[in-house]
């Protein structure tokens, strides 16, 4: 089944403890992105990647890192999480600029 | 900077009604526009994709139109059902595979 998977789906952590949220797609998509969704602010892009080893900042990149070493994987790294990074995170992928974007199921992160 | 507005913010209708959800955006330099539905606490499900060169796209009871020059898109839902209850999001796509989302329309269809 064509899909975008994320792990973990739920995570509760404490301030300052490094964490990684994994994202993988099996559709051979070139483009991958991370979004966060917050009440009243909607969905906003954190980082995107248009190819292996090519990544760039979205609208809210502060406090996050990404890497794209393989085409199928695009992990989101929080080096030192803070409470304001408590949010619902979505990974997304698409074949190219004109194709549909597919979203993963989401990761609900709580930073205490 | 692209801004997306969706009207109405919420809608409650009896089953069987035909609905119109509106989306407006400020920057017409887009590749396409995608409509999604989101159930509470869940992920986004793609409903329709309209390319910037297209005027309309249909899937089952759903029809979406796009007027890029005026910055408007409309999602039409025919013969609404309780299972259509969800939040509907429109998102024009910009460079960087970036979708810019509106706040959404919360739809409730009563049986």
């Amino acid at each position: 089944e064509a899909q975008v998977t994320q792990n973990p789906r739920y995570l509760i952590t404490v301030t300052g403890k490094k964490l990684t949220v994994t994202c993988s797609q099996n559709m051979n998509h070139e483009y991958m992105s991370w979004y966060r969704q917050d009440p009243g602010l909607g969905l906003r892009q954190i980082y995107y990647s248009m190819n292996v080893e090519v990544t760039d900042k979205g609208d809210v990149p502060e406090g996050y890192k990404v890497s794209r070493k393989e085409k199928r994987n695009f992990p989101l790294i929080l080096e030192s999480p803070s409470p304001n990074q408590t949010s619902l995170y979505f990974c997304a992928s698409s074949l190219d600029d004109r194709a549909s974007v597919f979203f993963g199921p989401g990761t609900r992160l709580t930073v205490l | 900077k692209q801004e997306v507005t969706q009207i109405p913010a919420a809608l409650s209708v009896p089953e069987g009604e035909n609905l119109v959800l509106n989306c407006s955006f400020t920057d017409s330099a887009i590749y396409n526009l995608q409509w999604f539905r989101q159930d509470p606490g869940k992920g986004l499900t793609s409903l329709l994709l309209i390319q910037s060169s297209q005027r309309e796209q249909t899937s089952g009871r759903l029809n979406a139109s796009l007027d890029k020059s005026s910055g408007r898109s409309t999602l039409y839902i025919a013969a609404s059902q309780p299972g259509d209850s969800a939040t509907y999001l429109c998102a024009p796509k910009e460079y960087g595979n970036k979708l810019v989302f509106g706040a959404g329309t919360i739809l409730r269809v009563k049986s």
Side-chain angles (χ1 to χ4, degrees), chain A residues 31-33 35 37 43 45 48 50 59 90 94 96-101 103-105 108, chain B residues 31-32 34 36 38 41-44 46 49 51-52 89 93-99 101:
Chain A
Y31 291 21
M32 297 185 75
S33 298
Y35 291 82
Q37 185 175 31
L43 282 136
Q45 190 187 54
Y48 67 94
M50 296 166 77
D59 290 329
F90 289 103
S94 70
D96 55 43
D97 273 334
R98 303 197 182 277
S100 288
V101 178
F103 280 78
R108 187 167 293 281
Chain B
Y31 289 102
N32 54 48
Q34 207 163 343
F36 296 88
Q38 185 176 28
K42 303 289 188 184
L44 281 75
S46 180
L49 170 72
Q51 299 297 342
S52 60
L89 298 162
K93 187 192 272 190
E94 302 181 330
Y95 177 80
N97 202 39
K98 178 179 166 181
L99 293 171
F101 286 88

Side-chain angles (χ1 to χ4, degrees), chain A residues 11-80:
Chain A
L11 180 59
I12 300 174
T13 189
V14 295
T15 299
K17 186 176 180 182
K18 181 179 178 180
L19 66 92
T20 299
V21 183
T22 64
C23 172
S24 183
Q25 50 89 9
N26 63 359
M27 296 171 278
N28 202 36
H29 284 175
E30 297 287 340
Y31 291 21
M32 297 185 75
S33 298
W34 278 101
Y35 291 82
R36 61 178 288 175
Q37 185 175 31
D38 303 287
L41 296 174
L43 282 136
R44 295 172 293 167
Q45 190 187 54
I46 303 171
Y47 267 96
Y48 67 94
S49 169
M50 296 166 77
N51 209 333
V52 174
E53 301 292 1
V54 179
T55 64
D56 209 344
K57 297 176 182 178
D59 290 329
V60 287
E62 297 78 18
Y64 304 95
K65 284 177 57 177
V66 293
S67 69
R68 187 98 182 268
K69 294 186 170 61
E70 307 166 275
K71 196 173 188 179
R72 62 182 294 130
N73 297 323
F74 191 45
L76 180 70
I77 303 157
L78 284 72
E79 295 267 4
S80 183

Side-chain angles (χ1 to χ4, degrees), chain B residues 61-99:
Chain B
R61 294 183 295 109
L62 304 179
N63 175 277
S65 66
L66 175 65
D67 184 342
K68 197 178 86 148
S69 60
S70 68
R72 294 176 191 269
S73 179
T74 298
L75 179 67
Y76 177 82
I77 303 175
S80 58
Q81 303 170 357
D84 294 330
S85 298
T87 297
Y88 289 80
L89 298 162
C90 80
K93 187 192 272 190
E94 302 181 330
Y95 177 80
N97 202 39
K98 178 179 166 181
L99 293 171

